[in-house]
Amino acid sequence: MAAFLYAGRVDGYIQRADQEQLTKETINFKTAADASAYAKICEEQGDIKEEWLIQHGYKETLYKVYYKHLFFSLLVDFSNYYNTSIDLAYHGNINVAWALLRKPFQETLAYIEWLYVDRNELLTLMLTSDDTGSYEIVRKKDKIRKHIERICPPNPSDPLDMYKFRYSYKDQLTLNGILQATNHLITSRPALKTSPSGLNFIFPDDEIRHRNIGFYYASIPYVLKYTLDLVMKMFGEIAELSDYTMLINLTNSTLKSLQMISEYADVKQLLHLDQINVFCPKCGHRHNSDEMWIQFAYDHFECENCHNKINTYQFLFDFNEITEK
Ligand SMILES: [Zn+2]
């Protein structure tokens, strides 16, 4: 299932961030006097002094540190809930699997979106406001909608709407509908109203169970693909990945999501695969065959020249050194 493939990919970012120490940021002091003044303050007060840095013109550096720290921490939180949900679904505990997705899909992801669209706004509120309500995103639905529209502009021909799917109380068959129903025994909004004499999912029959399982595997890849594309952009910028690496990874995740619902010939045309060359990271040999793409979308392909095996299951860092052949 695509959902299982995605789980490993989110973890891949976190492992890489640890390996490369991507959350660290060096302060390039403007003068030797600044460096020694800052060292003195740290020594005397035993901690990083944010106020001193902001007052002396190092706000940008400080915000970079907070940005990376918050981004990777949110990613870990998202991944913890999501991975546990997938495990539970795999073992048949579908209602709890659903219930665990409320926080990552409705809150954690909303903060990652806010960081992407306006990191300075979020960080300033978190650093300076005494009122946590000022940055409590879940109560700011208009803001969430605007962020989603910036990331993924509405397409009138697309029957699915990411905002409505995640948050609507009015539409039928939404992610929010099932998240509310698996977190509350009684729901009262018209579109989500509990049946008379009922309690949500307390008396499940086989039909309801199968419907919930089917909806889980149909809807999760939709939100995960959107999340992965966003996280890939943010991660690529932090890790300074090459444009080629970013292209290969975007192609990889798009292929994986489309192969479930489309014929290869249609996917090939849609993504213009015949115009994308995949170079072996070891010998530089150029690949562009249908056989390679089909294997690429599955979990690995082998270089036809040097037989180097390239694992395409997770995020692909192998291509970062390749610039031009
Ligand atoms: Zn090779």
Side-chain angles (χ1 to χ4, degrees):
M1 282 288 176
F4 293 101
L5 297 175
Y6 286 138
R9 309 192 98 229
V10 175
D11 292 346
Y13 298 115
I14 298 162
Q15 283 164 13
R16 182 73 171 196
D18 281 346
Q19 284 162 10
E20 305 277 320
Q21 301 194 316
L22 291 178
T23 53
K24 291 199 171 162
E25 186 71 34
T26 309
I27 304 174
N28 293 315
F29 287 103
K30 289 178 275 188
T31 62
D34 274 2
S36 61
Y38 180 72
K40 196 163 171 249
I41 279 187
C42 289
E43 197 182 303
E44 283 170 0
Q45 304 187 23
D47 200 0
I48 293 176
K49 289 294 153 266
E50 288 88 352
E51 274 176 36
W52 187 93
L53 288 170
I54 290 172
Q55 284 164 5
H56 291 79
Y58 297 100
K59 181 178 162 184
E60 209 175 301
T61 307
L62 184 69
Y63 271 42
K64 264 189 193 169
V65 175
Y66 284 132
Y67 168 68
K68 291 197 276 189
H69 181 64
L70 184 55
F71 172 66
F72 285 113
S73 303
L74 289 167
L75 208 52
V76 169
D77 183 75
F78 183 94
S79 183
N80 284 343
Y81 277 78
Y82 175 74
N83 288 349
T84 308
S85 172
I86 291 281
D87 280 348
L88 287 173
Y90 182 72
H91 290 104
N93 196 346
I94 195 68
N95 289 346
V96 184
W98 268 120
L100 275 181
L101 292 178
R102 200 203 63 74
K103 192 176 83 147
F105 279 9
Q106 291 191 327
E107 294 195 39
T108 314
L109 179 55
Y111 281 99
I112 294 174
E113 289 164 337
W114 194 351
L115 261 189
Y116 176 76
V117 173
D118 196 345
R119 71 176 81 169
N120 281 354
E121 181 185 55
L122 173 59
L123 291 172
T124 301
L125 285 170
M126 288 183 72
L127 288 170
T128 60
S129 173
D130 293 331
D131 175 15
T132 52
S134 67
Y135 58 90
E136 189 184 12
I137 188 76
V138 80
R139 296 194 186 278
K140 298 175 176 44
K141 293 292 193 307
D142 282 348
K143 198 167 185 55
I144 294 176
R145 186 203 299 273
K146 275 183 205 154
H147 292 165
I148 293 174
E149 285 176 1
R150 277 280 299 279
I151 293 162
C152 183
N155 178 356
S157 64
D158 191 345
L160 286 170
D161 177 305
M162 181 57 70
Y163 173 81
K164 282 186 187 166
F165 188 62
R166 275 166 54 201
Y167 297 100
S168 172
Y169 281 97
K170 292 180 188 151
D171 299 272
Q172 297 287 339
L173 276 181
T174 63
L175 182 67
N176 184 49
I178 196 155
L179 296 181
Q180 293 300 323
T182 50
N183 277 285
H184 303 285
L185 289 178
I186 292 185
T187 39
S188 54
R189 306 276 186 118
L192 314 176
K193 203 170 171 55
T194 308
S195 313
S197 310
L199 294 169
N200 294 330
F201 300 135
I202 290 293
F203 316 111
D205 56 27
D206 279 352
E207 192 191 324
I208 292 176
R209 252 185 83 71
H210 282 122
R211 196 188 62 198
N212 285 354
I213 291 170
F215 191 52
Y216 187 92
Y217 289 113
S219 61
I220 284 182
Y222 170 60
V223 181
L224 250 293
K225 173 68 172 73
Y226 164 88
T227 306
L228 264 183
D229 287 352
L230 174 64
V231 166
M232 275 198 306
K233 274 191 229 166
M234 297 170 80
F235 180 80
E237 185 206 310
I238 290 171
E240 297 177 348
L241 298 179
S242 72
D243 290 345
Y244 186 72
T245 301
M246 296 299 285
L247 170 71
I248 290 292
N249 279 290
L250 182 61
T251 308
N252 187 11
S253 73
T254 308
L255 267 177
K256 278 180 167 47
S257 61
L258 288 177
Q259 71 171 353
M260 293 188 301
I261 50 171
S262 309
E263 295 293 327
Y264 171 74
D266 296 334
V267 177
K268 180 180 176 180
Q269 201 180 6
L270 189 71
L271 298 182
H272 303 287
L273 292 182
D274 52 352
Q275 290 171 35
I276 302 174
N277 295 315
V278 180
F279 298 98
C280 169
K282 206 168 169 187
C283 75
H285 186 76
R286 184 174 71 88
H287 297 80
N288 189 335
S289 67
D290 292 342
E291 190 193 0
M292 185 278 298
W293 281 119
I294 290 164
Q295 289 174 351
F296 187 94
Y298 183 57
D299 76 345
H300 76 278
F301 80 95
E302 196 175 304
C303 172
E304 59 192 18
N305 180 48
C306 74
H307 302 290
N308 174 35
K309 201 170 131 183
I310 296 118
N311 180 356
T312 58
Y313 177 74
Q314 289 211 356
F315 193 91
L316 304 165
F317 297 100
D318 313 50
F319 295 93
N320 209 36
E321 305 305 320
I322 296 177
T323 47
E324 207 179 328
K325 294 286 170 191

